[in-house]
Amino acid sequence: AVRADGSLGGAIRAFGRPATTRHTFGRGTCRAVWTRHGLTIDFYNLGGGDACQPRDGRFSRAFLRGDHWMTTKRLRVGDSVAKLRRLYPDAPFRRGEPRLSPSGYWLLTRRSVFGDGSEYPGLLAEVSRRRVVGFQVRFPAGGD
């Protein structure tokens, strides 16, 4: 869905109007929250547009909370790390970087096509007390 339309407008069509939107670091970044879905999405705009505008905001990452969220392999928020390890035996646990990515299991690893080609978690499972507490999805929908 993000590949088809990674805009804030596309997210609004998929999930309805967000409960809140706010600029996070100026007009180029925006955080939208859909409380009823347990969904927070960060958007950005590198071309000088307002990232909180439906046409201008481009998907950066999403935070998914709530036991209704599930991966294609049927891992849910609330499941044990043991189940995660059975479903994703090759997923490495990696320490996060403050303000960029939380620590967790990288269920899907992507490689950047720009810069040094470094890896990042396309799908990350956050864990606490041996349970999955949320997912994070990253995808550069703005073309970077």
Side-chain angles (χ1 to χ4, degrees):
V2 173
R3 285 184 182 147
D5 185 350
S7 69
L8 173 55
I12 290 170
R13 283 188 292 283
F15 299 106
R17 286 255 168 231
T20 62
T21 57
R22 70 175 174 85
H23 293 103
T24 49
F25 298 103
R27 287 175 30 101
T29 60
C30 181
R31 176 163 283 180
V33 178
W34 287 263
T35 309
R36 72 176 194 224
H37 295 297
L39 175 65
T40 299
I41 304 178
D42 290 340
F43 295 91
Y44 67 104
N45 186 293
L46 299 176
D50 184 342
C52 281
Q53 291 299 310
R55 195 175 84 188
D56 294 338
R58 294 288 172 246
F59 183 96
S60 174
R61 63 184 173 172
F63 301 91
L64 303 94
R65 301 281 191 255
D67 61 7
H68 59 284
W69 291 106
M70 178 176 58
T71 69
T72 57
K73 292 186 178 184
R74 306 193 65 77
L75 179 68
R76 290 183 181 274
V77 172
D79 283 344
S80 68
V81 169
K83 180 176 179 182
L84 181 156
R85 300 300 299 148
R86 280 193 312 275
L87 295 174
Y88 295 90
D90 297 325
F93 179 86
R94 300 217 180 142
R95 295 264 172 233
E97 297 176 36
R99 302 174 79 116
L100 181 62
S101 178
S103 297
Y105 288 90
W106 289 28
L107 307 181
L108 172 66
T109 300
R110 295 189 184 280
R111 185 171 295 282
S112 176
V113 296
F114 297 96
D116 64 359
S118 60
E119 294 180 335
Y120 66 93
L123 176 60
L124 178 137
E126 270 186 88
V127 297
S128 179
R129 296 187 175 130
R130 308 293 298 160
R131 294 265 171 214
V132 176
V133 296
F135 297 114
Q136 184 184 122
V137 176
R138 287 181 59 198
F139 183 80
D144 61 333

